[in-house]
Amino acid sequence: EKGNYRHYMLKEIFEQPTVVAQTLRSYLRPAEERVALPQIDFDISAIDRVTIVACGTSYYAGMVAKYWFEQFARVPVDIDFASEFRYRDPVLNPGGLALFISQSGETADTLAALKHCKANGQVIAAVVNVPTSSMAREADLLLPTHAGPEIGVASTKAFTCQLAVLAALAAHLAVKKGRLSREEEAEIVSHLVETPAALNAALDHDDAIAAIAPLIVPARDVLYLGRGADFPLALEGALKLKEISYIHAEGYASGEMKHGPIALIDEHVPVIVLAPSGPLFEKTVSNMQEVQARGGKVVLISDAAGIAEAGEGCMATIEMPSVHPLIAPLVYAVPVQLLAYHVAVAKGTDVDQPRNLAKSVTVE
Ligand code: M6R
């Protein structure tokens, strides 16, 4: 039921604080400041390589996870689109963990990749939202997201719940591998626990984001820029805009701009910059200024400190709560989802059932 919401997508965006909290509840023990994964019947500390395979938005969640696994657990991570992975004859040495991420648990390419990894001696972990799905059944380690049914074709709450599970898994692996001290684990848990409140604070800016949508509606092309673990959010923002508003959009790592895409910049191509305060802020801002120097019109998404420092000269700014860089990818999902949503509504497209798309892609 949509309740008071005009679309399922909007309802699902607003459910995120609740469902992320619900998901985190099964992966954290906040009172003890510990990560707590379901019983694992293999030695996870022996994992020396992780292969992540997924499609679409779930793939972008995997891209964020790569940053976390490498940063916290110091385990090398390969990540592939399932459709590429299946046909490139990947090297799969024994002792590897193959991690599949899927809302539906039925995506044909991801499921086939899972079976391939199983046949090639990998331990199979699956982050899925549908507990009765094929992937859930095939996994050695099932890590459910508790997002509840996602009806809108554009994935929103499943994505942030995937990120919540993946952050907990990265921290757990790091603890088991002796890479995180007790204090560091406690600190990670405390940041994750703050996520639902931060998501609520992000949702409070819905009206301000709706007011910016008319600036994007006339565009034919839009660029999204981000760095580090927020780079996949730029890709996700662009995917959301493409799929529901039919405006062409591309996500780029902000440092890649000057290697080609900056040639596209003029006053007709809005550039959405994701730049939370943190170690990469100044770098992203200098890329943003390169865009502005060429007449580019920027929408800066940052926190109050970031906007105070770099907001001048932007076409618009969207203020996010000030959060630890670990949870920024979850929080910054909200403004890119809402911006795509309001642009699509303004264009009058079928938000919940965009043309040419199905909720679950069960054919190759
Ligand atoms: O069910 P899955 O997570 O495996 O689906 C993967 C993609 O088809 C899905 O994320 C798709 O990209 C969404 N429509 C994006 O909003």
Side-chain angles (χ1 to χ4, degrees), residues 112 133 152 162 198 230 239 251 303 346 363:
S133 61
Q162 287 165 347
D230 302 307
L239 176 61
D303 41 54
V363 291

Side-chain angles (χ1 to χ4, degrees), residues 101-360:
I101 308 168
S102 177
Q103 188 285 127
S104 61
E106 302 295 350
T107 300
D109 280 319
T110 311
L111 183 58
L114 184 157
K115 289 180 176 160
H116 177 78
C117 287
K118 207 170 185 180
N120 283 273
Q122 303 297 289
V123 176
I124 308 296
V127 176
V128 297
N129 195 43
V130 179
T132 51
S133 61
S134 307
M135 284 182 227
R137 278 198 306 273
E138 297 273 350
D140 302 309
L141 174 59
L142 173 60
L143 301 167
T145 45
H146 301 293
E150 192 181 63
I151 310 294
V153 163
S155 185
T156 54
K157 61 177 181 169
F159 176 69
T160 40
C161 288
Q162 287 165 347
L163 291 178
V165 172
L166 292 164
L169 178 62
H172 180 77
L173 186 59
V175 168
K176 292 293 174 195
K177 291 189 86 66
R179 302 279 188 191
L180 278 187
S181 68
R182 189 66 198 82
E183 291 69 38
E184 288 166 326
E185 182 185 3
E187 206 188 306
I188 289 179
V189 172
S190 75
H191 296 312
L192 290 175
V193 165
E194 287 162 14
T195 310
L199 290 169
N200 266 317
L203 288 166
D204 284 343
H205 295 270
D206 182 37
D207 288 344
I209 296 170
I212 289 170
L215 300 172
I216 307 297
V217 171
R220 224 186 61 174
D221 310 281
V222 177
L223 290 176
Y224 285 74
L225 303 182
R227 249 184 205 265
D230 302 307
F231 161 46
L233 268 294
L235 298 170
E236 168 63 1
L239 176 61
K240 287 287 93 93
L241 191 71
K242 278 183 274 212
E243 82 177 323
I244 61 169
S245 79
Y246 315 146
I247 295 175
H248 170 242
E250 294 297 329
Y252 267 94
S254 27
E256 266 302 288
M257 271 305 279
K258 57 165 97 48
H259 300 284
I262 201 158
L264 295 171
I265 298 299
D266 65 19
E267 69 278 20
H268 304 298
V269 182
V271 181
I272 319 287
V273 177
L274 293 119
S277 287
L280 302 174
F281 177 78
E282 302 294 339
K283 297 276 175 207
T284 309
V285 164
S286 85
N287 301 131
M288 178 182 102
Q289 287 161 347
E290 290 158 5
V291 166
Q292 289 170 316
R294 284 154 187 86
K297 295 264 190 318
V298 170
V299 176
L300 173 63
I301 311 182
S302 185
D303 41 54
I307 290 172
E309 187 176 328
E312 223 185 280
C314 292
M315 169 168 73
T317 58
I318 298 175
E319 189 180 321
M320 288 290 101
S322 155
V323 295
H324 188 272
L326 170 67
I327 66 165
L330 289 104
V331 176
Y332 281 63
V334 169
V336 298
Q337 293 165 350
L338 285 173
L339 188 60
Y341 174 78
H342 289 297
V343 171
V345 168
K347 291 195 70 171
T349 57
D350 188 345
V351 171
D352 284 333
Q353 297 249 277
R355 67 185 182 202
N356 307 341
L357 287 167
K359 182 63 187 158
S360 179

